[in-house]
Amino acid sequence: MTEQQPKHTEIPGPKLVFSRMDVPRRTSQEAILAGLEFIFSLQEGEHWTDFSGLERSPDVWVTSYVLARLADVPSDSIPRDLSLRREESLDWLMGACTPGGLWGASSGLEADADTTARAIIALRRYGREAPPSAVEFVRSCQRANGGFAAYPETSRMDGLYRLSTPETTVVAIKALASRNPAAEDFLAARMQEDASCSWSRLSSRFHLCSEMLDMDEGLVPWYLLNKISQRTAQYPGDNAFEQSLLLRCLFALRMQRAWPEAARLRNLQMQDGSWPAAAVLGPAMPGAALRQKPHILITDDKRVLTTATAISALAMGEGQPGLYFGSDLPQPRRFSES
């Protein structure tokens, strides 16, 4: 029997309305460093919170997301003090798991496959390994239709949270780091629809595409790459978060259009090094409850998620071989020699 997905209309992110007349133009390296300084200035202890509109911030989920995105910045390009604080955040994430070696979206919340997979991915990007129980838990959340759900069938969460979703499926495949034909078929079917209207934790046009292009080489079939290419060619980035995700896709696909889009993203940066809050939670994040109150947008009001994504996108461009894009620029210099 085919699993039914709930209907959800995409909620667009907030439009940009601020003026940049007093913000100096920055190079990509300067923009990345300013963004890093902003991100680390908002650390609460050794981790990050965001989405103050929720009764309980998904601190573990946010920290896992941020750490994974910051891994796109080479370690030798980050000032030593910030690098040490990043290591402290990794220690915090390791300690935030349940006694069984799993992770929930918030400290003390029931473990879920989406957050656990993101924690596995974040730790692995820095050479750390999650407990084997975490990998097995993610694997156990695959459904008969090939997709992965955030919560296992035995969870006490509402049944909607136990449905498979494209977003959780992608991060699960990345965490398991192996081909999964059934999951690929599930994603292919969902990509025929409007993937931005799925039951997801982030309401975004490009988030699923960006996550898919993050998969290890060989884990994304050509027909899914074709779908992603079509989406990136069809739609613009409507706000700072979408622009960042779009740029990550363009760099991953080696498209010349990436360079003017990178300049556009830099121009959206604010004086304090952040980018305007634009990441919007979808209904699948526990506590968001957007199904009941569709007029309420829960954004990353602390600007942590959007800024981390923008940093990642620009860092991907700095790591690309310039001649591949028709540029004679040399390889990027370090941001800091400290």
Side-chain angles (χ1 to χ4, degrees), residues 259-274:
W259 298 121
E261 294 292 348
R264 180 169 179 254
L265 180 62
R266 289 196 303 272
N267 288 339
L268 297 179
Q269 191 175 29
M270 302 174 76
Q271 180 69 52
D272 63 2
S274 71

Side-chain angles (χ1 to χ4, degrees), residues 25-40:
R25 290 185 178 274
R26 294 180 171 122
T27 65
S28 285
Q29 293 178 8
E30 292 169 341
I32 291 168
L33 185 56
L36 287 170
E37 291 173 344
F38 173 83
I39 283 283
F40 283 99

Side-chain angles (χ1 to χ4, degrees), residues 39-92:
I39 283 283
F40 283 99
S41 74
L42 290 188
Q43 265 188 326
E44 298 183 16
E46 295 84 30
H47 67 285
W48 289 273
T49 64
D50 213 331
F51 303 102
S52 299
L54 292 180
E55 185 175 341
R56 174 188 284 185
S57 172
D59 53 354
V60 180
W61 188 91
V62 169
T63 299
S64 298
Y65 182 98
V66 170
L67 286 170
R69 293 285 69 85
L70 296 187
D72 290 322
V73 183
S75 293
D76 62 355
S77 298
I78 298 181
R80 181 173 174 76
D81 61 325
L82 301 187
S83 181
L84 291 174
R85 292 173 67 179
R86 187 171 62 174
E87 290 297 315
E88 291 171 352
S89 292
L90 289 164
D91 292 339
W92 180 90

Side-chain angles (χ1 to χ4, degrees), residues 69-148:
R69 293 285 69 85
L70 296 187
D72 290 322
V73 183
S75 293
D76 62 355
S77 298
I78 298 181
R80 181 173 174 76
D81 61 325
L82 301 187
S83 181
L84 291 174
R85 292 173 67 179
R86 187 171 62 174
E87 290 297 315
E88 291 171 352
S89 292
L90 289 164
D91 292 339
W92 180 90
L93 183 60
M94 287 288 291
C97 66
T98 68
L102 313 176
W103 285 268
S106 303
S107 301
L109 199 65
E110 179 183 347
D112 68 85
D114 191 287
T115 306
T116 298
R118 289 183 184 278
I120 293 171
I121 294 165
L123 292 170
R124 186 181 294 151
R125 295 206 65 183
Y126 296 93
R128 302 195 185 196
E129 289 299 323
S133 56
V135 175
E136 290 306 313
F137 174 74
V138 172
R139 186 175 286 113
S140 73
C141 288
Q142 188 168 18
R143 297 290 185 262
N145 65 356
F148 286 76

